[in-house]
Amino acid sequence: QGPQGLAGAQGATGAQGPTGTTGQAGPAGSGAPVHATLANGATALAFGTNSSVKVTPTATATLTTTVPPAGTRCTLLVLTSGAASYTLTFGSGFKPTATLATGATTGRVFVINWISDGTNLYEAGRTAAMVA
């Protein structure tokens, strides 16, 4: 039997396949955090535009908010001032684990984290009172 012959030239490359589907776009905006320190006693938190809000309660109150796009994380800082204890209830826009009793010690801060499903902000954790 004789020797094997030389291999032939490589064939042409096939056509490129179709492009895959485009993924879902992320939320609009720069992604940069926006912090707002509200006036003492304010109850409308506007998490639809603020990613972090600091409030100082002056009475027992119900807090409300606009709701940002699904997946957005928000942080609420509650600063105590004076020797009175106030109870904060979370109203429209919020799905909390409980109310917040501020206690009667001035200069304490509570931090509550939230995550949005596009309809409500669900509580994702809270701290105990810390020295401000």
Side-chain angles (χ1 to χ4, degrees):
Q1 188 175 32
Q4 182 175 357
L6 298 173
Q10 181 175 345
T13 302
Q16 181 174 345
T19 303
T21 58
T22 303
Q24 181 178 350
S30 67
V34 177
H35 177 76
T37 298
L38 303 181
N40 290 359
T43 60
L45 305 185
F47 277 126
T49 53
N50 300 312
S51 54
S52 173
V53 174
K54 183 177 184 181
V55 297
T56 303
T58 57
T60 290
T62 298
L63 303 179
T64 62
T65 189
T66 50
V67 178
T72 303
R73 292 187 175 273
C74 303
T75 302
L76 172 62
L77 294 93
V78 178
L79 177 65
T80 64
S81 179
S85 179
Y86 304 120
T87 299
L88 299 180
T89 301
F90 298 97
S92 67
F94 290 108
K95 293 295 182 182
T97 59
T99 59
L100 175 69
T102 63
T105 304
T106 194
R108 297 292 186 253
V109 67
F110 298 86
V111 179
I112 305 174
N113 291 300
W114 308 90
I115 186 162
S116 173
D117 72 349
T119 304
N120 292 293
L121 284 168
Y122 288 87
E123 186 174 334
R126 68 171 72 183
T127 67
M130 301 179 284
V131 176

